[in-house]
Amino acid sequence: MSDLETQEIKPENLDQHYSEILHRYARLLELSTDLASILDLDILFRRIVDAARELTECEAASLLLYDAKDDHLFFQAATDLLEEGLGRTSVPTDNSIAGWIFIHNEPLLVDDALQDPRFFREVDAITRFQTRSILGVPMRTKDKTLGVIEAINKENGRFDQEDRNLLESLALQAAISIENSTLFQQSDIVAEMVHELRTPLTALTAVANLLQRPDLPNEQRLNLARTLHTEVNRLNGMTTDFLEISRLETGRTRFYREPVHLGGLIEECLQVVRAQAEEEGILLEVNIDRSIVPVQGDRNRLKQVLLNLLTNAIKYNQIGGKVVIRLKQKGESLLLSIEDTGRGIPEEAIPHVFDRFYRVPDQERDAPGTGLGLAIAKRIIESHGGTISVESEIDRGSTFFIRLPSDTSHRMDTKPLSPHPRLPN
Ligand code: ADP
């Protein structure tokens, strides 16, 4: 570790020096105020790294969070230059500069990372970025350390005491903002969930009341028992989805990373939905390019996304309709589309279909659902560095598109550990 030095300033340059420092602190204040007002965690993480880079005048910055369950750090955000292919790469606590900062709970400045035995080289291999110098600080709240912010490659000269002070102040504000935003999101989701639970609970109460009537004909009793069963199933599905979306939205979902062959995954999903499609006389057509390479991702979660899209394509289709699944390689990306011949989505509803709890109003009655499937799918795909979108035409059908980055790690001889994006609870 090199000492954090205080630069020698010539007396004639003192004025300018202090005016520069003042300017940087004024900017820190502006950026901190900005962070405090952001409630979306993804946007917040991004702003924190951008602020870290700007304040310390360096080439790149990153934010790593600590996952207590598996005792490691993982990249949660990075500025553009570093971001490429980084995903949520895992970093060990015992053999990395970030790990050292986290464990010792103090800042560290490394002038020449390549000469430092703690430097974790895999990150440079993945991002193709060349790290020279690192200034890292822990991100602490009152009672715990959430992770580490690192500024990388000072643009002119070396990181100094002023950079360290600024980054430490920023980290303090960042930690508070992350905690606030996490709390806010949790309370928001809880309120919405409780609201959504009201409908099935009202139905169940009504059924329970009716079932108690001694004069109820047997046939009615049977009907009510069926309704009861359906509503309980609905509640069950809802609670699973609630848990899933709340974990995803507060960054507590654990994602595993492994090469996933989407072609095989599609076949598996088709087995699951085939019976449902046959019941409705819906034809399933598959068109998979031979040249596709795997994606790097969480197999079960990607399967969950595919199943949701396929189920929707059948559920919102018409009797005797068709679903076409296409998968092709386009450069470094995999393109998946699921096209149906269903009722389509009204133009004004399209911007909302990925919102949680949103269901196109008139469709609610004839197809069961929670309105969470697409919101969950969007979160999962974005966590894989991908995008999901939809095009639709009323009475003609809808096509959902997924773009995912191909797995490039198999070409680089590096093996990122399973990252587990978790926010401190
Ligand atoms: P759910 O199906 O549980 O309601 P989703 O989040 O999967 O929830 O979908 C949200 C809404 O988007 C659905 O309620 C439906 O109105 C609309 N939708 C989704 N997929 C399709 C589709 N393939 N065709 C027509 N509408 C769809």
Side-chain angles (χ1 to χ4, degrees), residues 47-66:
R47 293 278 176 85
I48 293 170
V49 288
D50 284 341
R53 196 199 61 74
E54 183 191 329
L55 283 173
T56 56
E57 295 165 347
C58 66
E59 285 176 13
S62 62
L63 185 155
L64 297 101
L65 288 179
Y66 179 63

Side-chain angles (χ1 to χ4, degrees), residues 32 59 83 106 135 150 193 238 253 276 292 383 425:
S32 300
E59 285 176 13
E83 210 180 16
E106 60 181 74
L135 169 64
E150 286 186 339
M193 284 177 188
M238 275 172 121
T253 305
Q276 192 192 347
I292 53 165
S383 297
N425 298 314

Side-chain angles (χ1 to χ4, degrees), residues 167-221:
L167 199 57
E168 277 195 289
S169 307
L170 179 76
L172 196 68
Q173 182 59 53
I176 296 169
S177 300
I178 291 171
E179 280 215 322
N180 281 347
S181 157
T182 308
L183 284 174
F184 174 81
Q185 296 209 2
Q186 277 164 350
S187 64
D188 202 30
I189 297 172
V190 169
E192 276 178 275
M193 284 177 188
V194 171
H195 178 76
E196 293 298 317
L197 286 174
R198 291 243 160 87
T199 315
L201 284 176
T202 310
L204 282 175
T205 314
V207 170
N209 281 336
L210 283 171
L211 278 175
Q212 285 176 32
R213 291 170 67 153
D215 54 342
L216 198 72
N218 254 351
E219 199 188 328
Q220 292 250 25
R221 196 176 294 277

